[in-house]
Amino acid sequence: MSNNVYKSIELTGSSTESIDDAVRTAIAKASTSVRNIDWFEVIETRGHVEDGKVAHWQVTVKVGFKLED
């Protein structure tokens, strides 16, 4: 096993469907410009309420990616 160095960034994704979809949206978008994403950690979950119902979810995730040699 080789030694690796990782960098982490925070992303916030949103979805009208679910927390899971908000996470997947954030990671999918980041994957278009960030290589070597290896892990994520949900650090905050929020939502917006309209007319007494959940209108959308907003999730902040910390995402780690391996730095290239």
Side-chain angles (χ1 to χ4, degrees), residues 8-36:
S8 63
I9 57 174
E10 286 187 16
L11 307 168
T12 301
S14 62
S15 170
T16 57
E17 301 299 317
S18 67
I19 294 170
D20 180 67
D21 190 50
V23 171
R24 291 177 188 275
T25 297
I27 292 173
K29 181 65 174 175
S31 293
T32 65
S33 60
V34 177
R35 292 187 304 275
N36 304 319

mmCIF file with all atom_site columns, all heavy atoms in Angstrom, residues 8-36:
data_model
loop_
_atom_site.group_PDB
_atom_site.id
_atom_site.type_symbol
_atom_site.label_atom_id
_atom_site.label_alt_id
_atom_site.label_comp_id
_atom_site.label_asym_id
_atom_site.label_entity_id
_atom_site.label_seq_id
_atom_site.pdbx_PDB_ins_code
_atom_site.Cartn_x
_atom_site.Cartn_y
_atom_site.Cartn_z
_atom_site.occupancy
_atom_site.B_iso_or_equiv
_atom_site.pdbx_formal_charge
_atom_site.auth_seq_id
_atom_site.auth_comp_id
_atom_site.auth_asym_id
_atom_site.auth_atom_id
_atom_site.pdbx_PDB_model_num
ATOM 1   N N   . SER A 1 8  ? -9.182  18.041 0.908   1.00 0.00 ? 8  SER A N   1
ATOM 2   C CA  . SER A 1 8  ? -10.638 17.994 1.075   1.00 0.00 ? 8  SER A CA  1
ATOM 3   C C   . SER A 1 8  ? -11.225 19.373 0.781   1.00 0.00 ? 8  SER A C   1
ATOM 4   O O   . SER A 1 8  ? -10.585 20.399 0.995   1.00 0.00 ? 8  SER A O   1
ATOM 5   C CB  . SER A 1 8  ? -11.021 17.524 2.475   1.00 0.00 ? 8  SER A CB  1
ATOM 6   O OG  . SER A 1 8  ? -10.562 18.417 3.447   1.00 0.00 ? 8  SER A OG  1
ATOM 7   N N   . ILE A 1 9  ? -12.437 19.345 0.249   1.00 0.00 ? 9  ILE A N   1
ATOM 8   C CA  . ILE A 1 9  ? -13.188 20.550 -0.043  1.00 0.00 ? 9  ILE A CA  1
ATOM 9   C C   . ILE A 1 9  ? -14.606 20.351 0.472   1.00 0.00 ? 9  ILE A C   1
ATOM 10  O O   . ILE A 1 9  ? -15.050 19.220 0.677   1.00 0.00 ? 9  ILE A O   1
ATOM 11  C CB  . ILE A 1 9  ? -13.210 20.873 -1.562  1.00 0.00 ? 9  ILE A CB  1
ATOM 12  C CG1 . ILE A 1 9  ? -13.786 19.699 -2.359  1.00 0.00 ? 9  ILE A CG1 1
ATOM 13  C CG2 . ILE A 1 9  ? -11.828 21.242 -2.058  1.00 0.00 ? 9  ILE A CG2 1
ATOM 14  C CD1 . ILE A 1 9  ? -13.976 19.983 -3.840  1.00 0.00 ? 9  ILE A CD1 1
ATOM 15  N N   . GLU A 1 10 ? -15.313 21.449 0.687   1.00 0.00 ? 10 GLU A N   1
ATOM 16  C CA  . GLU A 1 10 ? -16.720 21.359 1.081   1.00 0.00 ? 10 GLU A CA  1
ATOM 17  C C   . GLU A 1 10 ? -17.604 21.732 -0.099  1.00 0.00 ? 10 GLU A C   1
ATOM 18  O O   . GLU A 1 10 ? -17.308 22.673 -0.836  1.00 0.00 ? 10 GLU A O   1
ATOM 19  C CB  . GLU A 1 10 ? -17.011 22.287 2.260   1.00 0.00 ? 10 GLU A CB  1
ATOM 20  C CG  . GLU A 1 10 ? -16.470 21.774 3.558   1.00 0.00 ? 10 GLU A CG  1
ATOM 21  C CD  . GLU A 1 10 ? -16.911 22.603 4.750   1.00 0.00 ? 10 GLU A CD  1
ATOM 22  O OE1 . GLU A 1 10 ? -17.865 23.403 4.627   1.00 0.00 ? 10 GLU A OE1 1
ATOM 23  O OE2 . GLU A 1 10 ? -16.304 22.432 5.812   1.00 0.00 ? 10 GLU A OE2 1
ATOM 24  N N   . LEU A 1 11 ? -18.660 20.976 -0.254  1.00 0.00 ? 11 LEU A N   1
ATOM 25  C CA  . LEU A 1 11 ? -19.642 21.199 -1.311  1.00 0.00 ? 11 LEU A CA  1
ATOM 26  C C   . LEU A 1 11 ? -21.024 21.238 -0.678  1.00 0.00 ? 11 LEU A C   1
ATOM 27  O O   . LEU A 1 11 ? -21.262 20.579 0.334   1.00 0.00 ? 11 LEU A O   1
ATOM 28  C CB  . LEU A 1 11 ? -19.613 20.053 -2.320  1.00 0.00 ? 11 LEU A CB  1
ATOM 29  C CG  . LEU A 1 11 ? -18.276 19.671 -2.941  1.00 0.00 ? 11 LEU A CG  1
ATOM 30  C CD1 . LEU A 1 11 ? -18.407 18.346 -3.674  1.00 0.00 ? 11 LEU A CD1 1
ATOM 31  C CD2 . LEU A 1 11 ? -17.821 20.761 -3.877  1.00 0.00 ? 11 LEU A CD2 1
ATOM 32  N N   . THR A 1 12 ? -21.932 21.964 -1.292  1.00 0.00 ? 12 THR A N   1
ATOM 33  C CA  . THR A 1 12 ? -23.318 21.938 -0.847  1.00 0.00 ? 12 THR A CA  1
ATOM 34  C C   . THR A 1 12 ? -24.198 21.603 -2.042  1.00 0.00 ? 12 THR A C   1
ATOM 35  O O   . THR A 1 12 ? -24.160 22.298 -3.058  1.00 0.00 ? 12 THR A O   1
ATOM 36  C CB  . THR A 1 12 ? -23.740 23.286 -0.242  1.00 0.00 ? 12 THR A CB  1
ATOM 37  O OG1 . THR A 1 12 ? -22.884 23.576 0.870   1.00 0.00 ? 12 THR A OG1 1
ATOM 38  C CG2 . THR A 1 12 ? -25.175 23.235 0.244   1.00 0.00 ? 12 THR A CG2 1
ATOM 39  N N   . GLY A 1 13 ? -24.937 20.514 -1.929  1.00 0.00 ? 13 GLY A N   1
ATOM 40  C CA  . GLY A 1 13 ? -25.858 20.100 -2.978  1.00 0.00 ? 13 GLY A CA  1
ATOM 41  C C   . GLY A 1 13 ? -27.286 20.267 -2.497  1.00 0.00 ? 13 GLY A C   1
ATOM 42  O O   . GLY A 1 13 ? -27.551 20.230 -1.298  1.00 0.00 ? 13 GLY A O   1
ATOM 43  N N   . SER A 1 14 ? -28.202 20.448 -3.431  1.00 0.00 ? 14 SER A N   1
ATOM 44  C CA  . SER A 1 14 ? -29.603 20.570 -3.048  1.00 0.00 ? 14 SER A CA  1
ATOM 45  C C   . SER A 1 14 ? -30.467 19.683 -3.933  1.00 0.00 ? 14 SER A C   1
ATOM 46  O O   . SER A 1 14 ? -30.075 19.308 -5.038  1.00 0.00 ? 14 SER A O   1
ATOM 47  C CB  . SER A 1 14 ? -30.065 22.021 -3.135  1.00 0.00 ? 14 SER A CB  1
ATOM 48  O OG  . SER A 1 14 ? -29.971 22.488 -4.455  1.00 0.00 ? 14 SER A OG  1
ATOM 49  N N   . SER A 1 15 ? -31.638 19.351 -3.408  1.00 0.00 ? 15 SER A N   1
ATOM 50  C CA  . SER A 1 15 ? -32.555 18.477 -4.135  1.00 0.00 ? 15 SER A CA  1
ATOM 51  C C   . SER A 1 15 ? -33.963 18.648 -3.586  1.00 0.00 ? 15 SER A C   1
ATOM 52  O O   . SER A 1 15 ? -34.144 18.855 -2.385  1.00 0.00 ? 15 SER A O   1
ATOM 53  C CB  . SER A 1 15 ? -32.133 17.011 -3.977  1.00 0.00 ? 15 SER A CB  1
ATOM 54  O OG  . SER A 1 15 ? -33.125 16.139 -4.473  1.00 0.00 ? 15 SER A OG  1
ATOM 55  N N   . THR A 1 16 ? -34.938 18.549 -4.462  1.00 0.00 ? 16 THR A N   1
ATOM 56  C CA  . THR A 1 16 ? -36.327 18.530 -4.015  1.00 0.00 ? 16 THR A CA  1
ATOM 57  C C   . THR A 1 16 ? -36.769 17.115 -3.653  1.00 0.00 ? 16 THR A C   1
ATOM 58  O O   . THR A 1 16 ? -37.848 16.926 -3.101  1.00 0.00 ? 16 THR A O   1
ATOM 59  C CB  . THR A 1 16 ? -37.265 19.080 -5.113  1.00 0.00 ? 16 THR A CB  1
ATOM 60  O OG1 . THR A 1 16 ? -37.085 18.304 -6.300  1.00 0.00 ? 16 THR A OG1 1
ATOM 61  C CG2 . THR A 1 16 ? -36.971 20.534 -5.406  1.00 0.00 ? 16 THR A CG2 1
ATOM 62  N N   . GLU A 1 17 ? -35.915 16.127 -3.957  1.00 0.00 ? 17 GLU A N   1
ATOM 63  C CA  . GLU A 1 17 ? -36.275 14.718 -3.756  1.00 0.00 ? 17 GLU A CA  1
ATOM 64  C C   . GLU A 1 17 ? -35.865 14.160 -2.396  1.00 0.00 ? 17 GLU A C   1
ATOM 65  O O   . GLU A 1 17 ? -36.682 13.593 -1.683  1.00 0.00 ? 17 GLU A O   1
ATOM 66  C CB  . GLU A 1 17 ? -35.637 13.857 -4.859  1.00 0.00 ? 17 GLU A CB  1
ATOM 67  C CG  . GLU A 1 17 ? -36.050 14.241 -6.265  1.00 0.00 ? 17 GLU A CG  1
ATOM 68  C CD  . GLU A 1 17 ? -37.530 14.102 -6.501  1.00 0.00 ? 17 GLU A CD  1
ATOM 69  O OE1 . GLU A 1 17 ? -38.114 13.088 -6.062  1.00 0.00 ? 17 GLU A OE1 1
ATOM 70  O OE2 . GLU A 1 17 ? -38.121 15.017 -7.090  1.00 0.00 ? 17 GLU A OE2 1
ATOM 71  N N   . SER A 1 18 ? -34.550 14.282 -2.050  1.00 0.00 ? 18 SER A N   1
ATOM 72  C CA  . SER A 1 18 ? -34.061 13.626 -0.837  1.00 0.00 ? 18 SER A CA  1
ATOM 73  C C   . SER A 1 18 ? -32.662 14.109 -0.462  1.00 0.00 ? 18 SER A C   1
ATOM 74  O O   . SER A 1 18 ? -31.978 14.745 -1.270  1.00 0.00 ? 18 SER A O   1
ATOM 75  C CB  . SER A 1 18 ? -34.009 12.104 -1.037  1.00 0.00 ? 18 SER A CB  1
ATOM 76  O OG  . SER A 1 18 ? -33.028 11.769 -2.008  1.00 0.00 ? 18 SER A OG  1
ATOM 77  N N   . ILE A 1 19 ? -32.260 13.755 0.751   1.00 0.00 ? 19 ILE A N   1
ATOM 78  C CA  . ILE A 1 19 ? -30.894 14.034 1.197   1.00 0.00 ? 19 ILE A CA  1
ATOM 79  C C   . ILE A 1 19 ? -29.914 13.279 0.308   1.00 0.00 ? 19 ILE A C   1
ATOM 80  O O   . ILE A 1 19 ? -28.897 13.822 -0.128  1.00 0.00 ? 19 ILE A O   1
ATOM 81  C CB  . ILE A 1 19 ? -30.715 13.621 2.673   1.00 0.00 ? 19 ILE A CB  1
ATOM 82  C CG1 . ILE A 1 19 ? -31.582 14.498 3.570   1.00 0.00 ? 19 ILE A CG1 1
ATOM 83  C CG2 . ILE A 1 19 ? -29.259 13.665 3.091   1.00 0.00 ? 19 ILE A CG2 1
ATOM 84  C CD1 . ILE A 1 19 ? -31.660 14.018 5.002   1.00 0.00 ? 19 ILE A CD1 1
ATOM 85  N N   . ASP A 1 20 ? -30.197 12.024 0.045   1.00 0.00 ? 20 ASP A N   1
ATOM 86  C CA  . ASP A 1 20 ? -29.341 11.191 -0.803  1.00 0.00 ? 20 ASP A CA  1
ATOM 87  C C   . ASP A 1 20 ? -29.135 11.835 -2.174  1.00 0.00 ? 20 ASP A C   1
ATOM 88  O O   . ASP A 1 20 ? -28.009 11.909 -2.675  1.00 0.00 ? 20 ASP A O   1
ATOM 89  C CB  . ASP A 1 20 ? -29.969 9.800  -0.950  1.00 0.00 ? 20 ASP A CB  1
ATOM 90  C CG  . ASP A 1 20 ? -29.140 8.870  -1.807  1.00 0.00 ? 20 ASP A CG  1
ATOM 91  O OD1 . ASP A 1 20 ? -28.022 8.513  -1.380  1.00 0.00 ? 20 ASP A OD1 1
ATOM 92  O OD2 . ASP A 1 20 ? -29.606 8.523  -2.907  1.00 0.00 ? 20 ASP A OD2 1
ATOM 93  N N   . ASP A 1 21 ? -30.193 12.330 -2.752  1.00 0.00 ? 21 ASP A N   1
ATOM 94  C CA  . ASP A 1 21 ? -30.095 12.962 -4.071  1.00 0.00 ? 21 ASP A CA  1
ATOM 95  C C   . ASP A 1 21 ? -29.265 14.244 -4.001  1.00 0.00 ? 21 ASP A C   1
ATOM 96  O O   . ASP A 1 21 ? -28.507 14.542 -4.922  1.00 0.00 ? 21 ASP A O   1
ATOM 97  C CB  . ASP A 1 21 ? -31.489 13.252 -4.625  1.00 0.00 ? 21 ASP A CB  1
ATOM 98  C CG  . ASP A 1 21 ? -31.464 13.672 -6.073  1.00 0.00 ? 21 ASP A CG  1
ATOM 99  O OD1 . ASP A 1 21 ? -30.825 12.977 -6.893  1.00 0.00 ? 21 ASP A OD1 1
ATOM 100 O OD2 . ASP A 1 21 ? -32.075 14.717 -6.392  1.00 0.00 ? 21 ASP A OD2 1
ATOM 101 N N   . ALA A 1 22 ? -29.372 14.999 -2.918  1.00 0.00 ? 22 ALA A N   1
ATOM 102 C CA  . ALA A 1 22 ? -28.579 16.213 -2.753  1.00 0.00 ? 22 ALA A CA  1
ATOM 103 C C   . ALA A 1 22 ? -27.090 15.888 -2.686  1.00 0.00 ? 22 ALA A C   1
ATOM 104 O O   . ALA A 1 22 ? -26.260 16.571 -3.295  1.00 0.00 ? 22 ALA A O   1
ATOM 105 C CB  . ALA A 1 22 ? -29.019 16.970 -1.501  1.00 0.00 ? 22 ALA A CB  1
ATOM 106 N N   . VAL A 1 23 ? -26.731 14.826 -1.967  1.00 0.00 ? 23 VAL A N   1
ATOM 107 C CA  . VAL A 1 23 ? -25.333 14.386 -1.889  1.00 0.00 ? 23 VAL A CA  1
ATOM 108 C C   . VAL A 1 23 ? -24.845 13.951 -3.261  1.00 0.00 ? 23 VAL A C   1
ATOM 109 O O   . VAL A 1 23 ? -23.771 14.352 -3.725  1.00 0.00 ? 23 VAL A O   1
ATOM 110 C CB  . VAL A 1 23 ? -25.160 13.238 -0.871  1.00 0.00 ? 23 VAL A CB  1
ATOM 111 C CG1 . VAL A 1 23 ? -23.762 12.631 -0.955  1.00 0.00 ? 23 VAL A CG1 1
ATOM 112 C CG2 . VAL A 1 23 ? -25.456 13.711 0.539   1.00 0.00 ? 23 VAL A CG2 1
ATOM 113 N N   . ARG A 1 24 ? -25.631 13.128 -3.934  1.00 0.00 ? 24 ARG A N   1
ATOM 114 C CA  . ARG A 1 24 ? -25.238 12.629 -5.259  1.00 0.00 ? 24 ARG A CA  1
ATOM 115 C C   . ARG A 1 24 ? -25.090 13.768 -6.264  1.00 0.00 ? 24 ARG A C   1
ATOM 116 O O   . ARG A 1 24 ? -24.190 13.754 -7.106  1.00 0.00 ? 24 ARG A O   1
ATOM 117 C CB  . ARG A 1 24 ? -26.248 11.597 -5.747  1.00 0.00 ? 24 ARG A CB  1
ATOM 118 C CG  . ARG A 1 24 ? -26.203 10.321 -4.943  1.00 0.00 ? 24 ARG A CG  1
ATOM 119 C CD  . ARG A 1 24 ? -27.270 9.325  -5.407  1.00 0.00 ? 24 ARG A CD  1
ATOM 120 N NE  . ARG A 1 24 ? -27.340 8.205  -4.512  1.00 0.00 ? 24 ARG A NE  1
ATOM 121 C CZ  . ARG A 1 24 ? -26.555 7.130  -4.573  1.00 0.00 ? 24 ARG A CZ  1
ATOM 122 N NH1 . ARG A 1 24 ? -25.614 7.059  -5.491  1.00 0.00 ? 24 ARG A NH1 1
ATOM 123 N NH2 . ARG A 1 24 ? -26.698 6.152  -3.711  1.00 0.00 ? 24 ARG A NH2 1
ATOM 124 N N   . THR A 1 25 ? -25.945 14.763 -6.175  1.00 0.00 ? 25 THR A N   1
ATOM 125 C CA  . THR A 1 25 ? -25.866 15.925 -7.066  1.00 0.00 ? 25 THR A CA  1
ATOM 126 C C   . THR A 1 25 ? -24.554 16.679 -6.862  1.00 0.00 ? 25 THR A C   1
ATOM 127 O O   . THR A 1 25 ? -23.871 17.030 -7.824  1.00 0.00 ? 25 THR A O   1
ATOM 128 C CB  . THR A 1 25 ? -27.063 16.866 -6.829  1.00 0.00 ? 25 THR A CB  1
ATOM 129 O OG1 . THR A 1 25 ? -28.269 16.162 -7.151  1.00 0.00 ? 25 THR A OG1 1
ATOM 130 C CG2 . THR A 1 25 ? -26.972 18.126 -7.665  1.00 0.00 ? 25 THR A CG2 1
ATOM 131 N N   . ALA A 1 26 ? -24.191 16.930 -5.612  1.00 0.00 ? 26 ALA A N   1
ATOM 132 C CA  . ALA A 1 26 ? -22.949 17.655 -5.311  1.00 0.00 ? 26 ALA A CA  1
ATOM 133 C C   . ALA A 1 26 ? -21.726 16.895 -5.802  1.00 0.00 ? 26 ALA A C   1
ATOM 134 O O   . ALA A 1 26 ? -20.832 17.467 -6.437  1.00 0.00 ? 26 ALA A O   1
ATOM 135 C CB  . ALA A 1 26 ? -22.845 17.909 -3.803  1.00 0.00 ? 26 ALA A CB  1
ATOM 136 N N   . ILE A 1 27 ? -21.679 15.588 -5.536  1.00 0.00 ? 27 ILE A N   1
ATOM 137 C CA  . ILE A 1 27 ? -20.519 14.793 -5.931  1.00 0.00 ? 27 ILE A CA  1
ATOM 138 C C   . ILE A 1 27 ? -20.447 14.639 -7.448  1.00 0.00 ? 27 ILE A C   1
ATOM 139 O O   . ILE A 1 27 ? -19.370 14.738 -8.043  1.00 0.00 ? 27 ILE A O   1
ATOM 140 C CB  . ILE A 1 27 ? -20.525 13.424 -5.222  1.00 0.00 ? 27 ILE A CB  1
ATOM 141 C CG1 . ILE A 1 27 ? -20.276 13.652 -3.729  1.00 0.00 ? 27 ILE A CG1 1
ATOM 142 C CG2 . ILE A 1 27 ? -19.481 12.487 -5.815  1.00 0.00 ? 27 ILE A CG2 1
ATOM 143 C CD1 . ILE A 1 27 ? -20.421 12.432 -2.871  1.00 0.00 ? 27 ILE A CD1 1
ATOM 144 N N   . ALA A 1 28 ? -21.572 14.452 -8.097  1.00 0.00 ? 28 ALA A N   1
ATOM 145 C CA  . ALA A 1 28 ? -21.580 14.319 -9.561  1.00 0.00 ? 28 ALA A CA  1
ATOM 146 C C   . ALA A 1 28 ? -21.075 15.593 -10.224 1.00 0.00 ? 28 ALA A C   1
ATOM 147 O O   . ALA A 1 28 ? -20.286 15.540 -11.166 1.00 0.00 ? 28 ALA A O   1
ATOM 148 C CB  . ALA A 1 28 ? -22.981 13.976 -10.055 1.00 0.00 ? 28 ALA A CB  1
ATOM 149 N N   . LYS A 1 29 ? -21.511 16.741 -9.724  1.00 0.00 ? 29 LYS A N   1
ATOM 150 C CA  . LYS A 1 29 ? -21.060 18.015 -10.297 1.00 0.00 ? 29 LYS A CA  1
ATOM 151 C C   . LYS A 1 29 ? -19.566 18.214 -10.060 1.00 0.00 ? 29 LYS A C   1
ATOM 152 O O   . LYS A 1 29 ? -18.832 18.608 -10.966 1.00 0.00 ? 29 LYS A O   1
ATOM 153 C CB  . LYS A 1 29 ? -21.867 19.166 -9.687  1.00 0.00 ? 29 LYS A CB  1
ATOM 154 C CG  . LYS A 1 29 ? -21.500 20.519 -10.228 1.00 0.00 ? 29 LYS A CG  1
ATOM 155 C CD  . LYS A 1 29 ? -21.843 20.640 -11.701 1.00 0.00 ? 29 LYS A CD  1
ATOM 156 C CE  . LYS A 1 29 ? -21.600 22.056 -12.179 1.00 0.00 ? 29 LYS A CE  1
ATOM 157 N NZ  . LYS A 1 29 ? -21.794 22.186 -13.614 1.00 0.00 ? 29 LYS A NZ  1
ATOM 158 N N   . ALA A 1 30 ? -19.098 17.941 -8.849  1.00 0.00 ? 30 ALA A N   1
ATOM 159 C CA  . ALA A 1 30 ? -17.671 18.097 -8.544  1.00 0.00 ? 30 ALA A CA  1
ATOM 160 C C   . ALA A 1 30 ? -16.811 17.160 -9.383  1.00 0.00 ? 30 ALA A C   1
ATOM 161 O O   . ALA A 1 30 ? -15.706 17.520 -9.798  1.00 0.00 ? 30 ALA A O   1
ATOM 162 C CB  . ALA A 1 30 ? -17.416 17.850 -7.060  1.00 0.00 ? 30 ALA A CB  1
ATOM 163 N N   . SER A 1 31 ? -17.333 15.975 -9.667  1.00 0.00 ? 31 SER A N   1
ATOM 164 C CA  . SER A 1 31 ? -16.577 14.990 -10.446 1.00 0.00 ? 31 SER A CA  1
ATOM 165 C C   . SER A 1 31 ? -16.286 15.444 -11.868 1.00 0.00 ? 31 SER A C   1
ATOM 166 O O   . SER A 1 31 ? -15.410 14.894 -12.527 1.00 0.00 ? 31 SER A O   1
ATOM 167 C CB  . SER A 1 31 ? -17.328 13.658 -10.495 1.00 0.00 ? 31 SER A CB  1
ATOM 168 O OG  . SER A 1 31 ? -17.367 13.090 -9.211  1.00 0.00 ? 31 SER A OG  1
ATOM 169 N N   . THR A 1 32 ? -16.994 16.457 -12.343 1.00 0.00 ? 32 THR A N   1
ATOM 170 C CA  . THR A 1 32 ? -16.728 16.951 -13.695 1.00 0.00 ? 32 THR A CA  1
ATOM 171 C C   . THR A 1 32 ? -15.448 17.776 -13.753 1.00 0.00 ? 32 THR A C   1
ATOM 172 O O   . THR A 1 32 ? -14.890 17.961 -14.827 1.00 0.00 ? 32 THR A O   1
ATOM 173 C CB  . THR A 1 32 ? -17.901 17.803 -14.242 1.00 0.00 ? 32 THR A CB  1
ATOM 174 O OG1 . THR A 1 32 ? -18.048 18.982 -13.458 1.00 0.00 ? 32 THR A OG1 1
ATOM 175 C CG2 . THR A 1 32 ? -19.191 16.997 -14.259 1.00 0.00 ? 32 THR A CG2 1
ATOM 176 N N   . SER A 1 33 ? -14.982 18.288 -12.599 1.00 0.00 ? 33 SER A N   1
ATOM 177 C CA  . SER A 1 33 ? -13.763 19.104 -12.614 1.00 0.00 ? 33 SER A CA  1
ATOM 178 C C   . SER A 1 33 ? -12.712 18.682 -11.587 1.00 0.00 ? 33 SER A C   1
ATOM 179 O O   . SER A 1 33 ? -11.593 19.167 -11.632 1.00 0.00 ? 33 SER A O   1
ATOM 180 C CB  . SER A 1 33 ? -14.113 20.582 -12.406 1.00 0.00 ? 33 SER A CB  1
ATOM 181 O OG  . SER A 1 33 ? -14.767 20.768 -11.177 1.00 0.00 ? 33 SER A OG  1
ATOM 182 N N   . VAL A 1 34 ? -13.054 17.785 -10.679 1.00 0.00 ? 34 VAL A N   1
ATOM 183 C CA  . VAL A 1 34 ? -12.108 17.308 -9.662  1.00 0.00 ? 34 VAL A CA  1
ATOM 184 C C   . VAL A 1 34 ? -11.866 15.824 -9.891  1.00 0.00 ? 34 VAL A C   1
ATOM 185 O O   . VAL A 1 34 ? -12.812 15.034 -9.922  1.00 0.00 ? 34 VAL A O   1
ATOM 186 C CB  . VAL A 1 34 ? -12.660 17.535 -8.232  1.00 0.00 ? 34 VAL A CB  1
ATOM 187 C CG1 . VAL A 1 34 ? -11.706 16.982 -7.198  1.00 0.00 ? 34 VAL A CG1 1
ATOM 188 C CG2 . VAL A 1 34 ? -12.939 19.010 -7.985  1.00 0.00 ? 34 VAL A CG2 1
ATOM 189 N N   . ARG A 1 35 ? -10.595 15.462 -10.051 1.00 0.00 ? 35 ARG A N   1
ATOM 190 C CA  . ARG A 1 35 ? -10.246 14.050 -10.266 1.00 0.00 ? 35 ARG A CA  1
ATOM 191 C C   . ARG A 1 35 ? -9.955  13.358 -8.937  1.00 0.00 ? 35 ARG A C   1
ATOM 192 O O   . ARG A 1 35 ? -9.630  13.991 -7.951  1.00 0.00 ? 35 ARG A O   1
ATOM 193 C CB  . ARG A 1 35 ? -9.015  13.948 -11.163 1.00 0.00 ? 35 ARG A CB  1
ATOM 194 C CG  . ARG A 1 35 ? -9.252  14.395 -12.587 1.00 0.00 ? 35 ARG A CG  1
ATOM 195 C CD  . ARG A 1 35 ? -8.045  14.107 -13.480 1.00 0.00 ? 35 ARG A CD  1
ATOM 196 N NE  . ARG A 1 35 ? -6.812  14.704 -13.003 1.00 0.00 ? 35 ARG A NE  1
ATOM 197 C CZ  . ARG A 1 35 ? -6.421  15.954 -13.247 1.00 0.00 ? 35 ARG A CZ  1
ATOM 198 N NH1 . ARG A 1 35 ? -7.194  16.758 -13.936 1.00 0.00 ? 35 ARG A NH1 1
ATOM 199 N NH2 . ARG A 1 35 ? -5.268  16.401 -12.792 1.00 0.00 ? 35 ARG A NH2 1
ATOM 200 N N   . ASN A 1 36 ? -10.042 12.052 -8.950  1.00 0.00 ? 36 ASN A N   1
ATOM 201 C CA  . ASN A 1 36 ? -9.616  11.182 -7.845  1.00 0.00 ? 36 ASN A CA  1
ATOM 202 C C   . ASN A 1 36 ? -10.426 11.351 -6.557  1.00 0.00 ? 36 ASN A C   1
ATOM 203 O O   . ASN A 1 36 ? -9.898  11.172 -5.459  1.00 0.00 ? 36 ASN A O   1
ATOM 204 C CB  . ASN A 1 36 ? -8.126  11.391 -7.534  1.00 0.00 ? 36 ASN A CB  1
ATOM 205 C CG  . ASN A 1 36 ? -7.245  11.168 -8.732  1.00 0.00 ? 36 ASN A CG  1
ATOM 206 O OD1 . ASN A 1 36 ? -7.464  10.246 -9.506  1.00 0.00 ? 36 ASN A OD1 1
ATOM 207 N ND2 . ASN A 1 36 ? -6.256  12.027 -8.911  1.00 0.00 ? 36 ASN A ND2 1
#
